[in-house]
Amino acid sequence: MVMISVQVNGTSRQDEVEPRLLLVQYLRETLGLTGTNIGCDTSSCGACTVLLNGESVKSCTLLAAQADETDIVTIEGLADPDGTFHPVQEAFRENHALQCGYCTPGMVMAAVSLLDEEDQLDERRVREGLEGNLCRCTRYHN
């Protein structure tokens, strides 16, 4: 077992984890944060995207032990404590930017990261920035 210390959605956590436990499993099974979805286990779909120290990562390809001493934000941590959605969450809601919703948490997290990283965005750059996330409802169009 390995002891990890992380900040998840603003809450400090210390947990003993199996060395091979994936970050997505830690978030879902240990912390009960099931908004981070498991879609492919190969980092192809992006449903498991979270922010790690402010950058989007696919949590199915990162061990929980590798996240030691980091700040993690999941889809549950984007909204304000009073329930006010993050602007990207609100934009998805207002524009009906989901179908089944399975990919939505990963898409939102990737979009938040992209907006934090880029000052100037056009359609081409948005498509490139989100190409690691797949929506299965729309026939896998990146």
Side-chain angles (χ1 to χ4, degrees), residues 16-64:
E16 248 186 4
V17 298
E18 290 283 339
R20 295 175 299 170
L21 183 70
L22 294 173
L23 180 58
V24 68
Q25 293 167 321
Y26 171 72
L27 295 170
R28 291 179 60 82
E29 297 166 15
T30 304
L31 303 186
L33 298 171
T34 57
T36 302
N37 291 321
I38 299 172
C40 66
D41 285 330
T42 63
S43 79
S44 297
C45 75
C48 67
T49 302
V50 298
L51 301 180
L52 185 76
N53 292 333
E55 294 187 25
S56 65
V57 299
K58 294 179 181 177
S59 60
C60 76
T61 58
L62 190 69
L63 298 173

Side-chain angles (χ1 to χ4, degrees), residues 54-109:
E55 294 187 25
S56 65
V57 299
K58 294 179 181 177
S59 60
C60 76
T61 58
L62 190 69
L63 298 173
Q66 291 174 292
D68 187 34
E69 300 295 327
T70 63
D71 182 25
I72 301 164
V73 178
T74 68
I75 192 72
E76 293 93 342
L78 278 185
D80 289 338
D82 69 0
T84 303
F85 283 154
H86 181 280
V88 173
Q89 289 173 306
E90 183 62 26
F92 267 64
R93 188 192 67 76
E94 285 179 6
N95 293 286
H96 308 287
L98 56 102
Q99 289 181 46
C100 80
Y102 199 82
C103 71
T104 304
M107 290 278 192
V108 168
M109 300 307 285

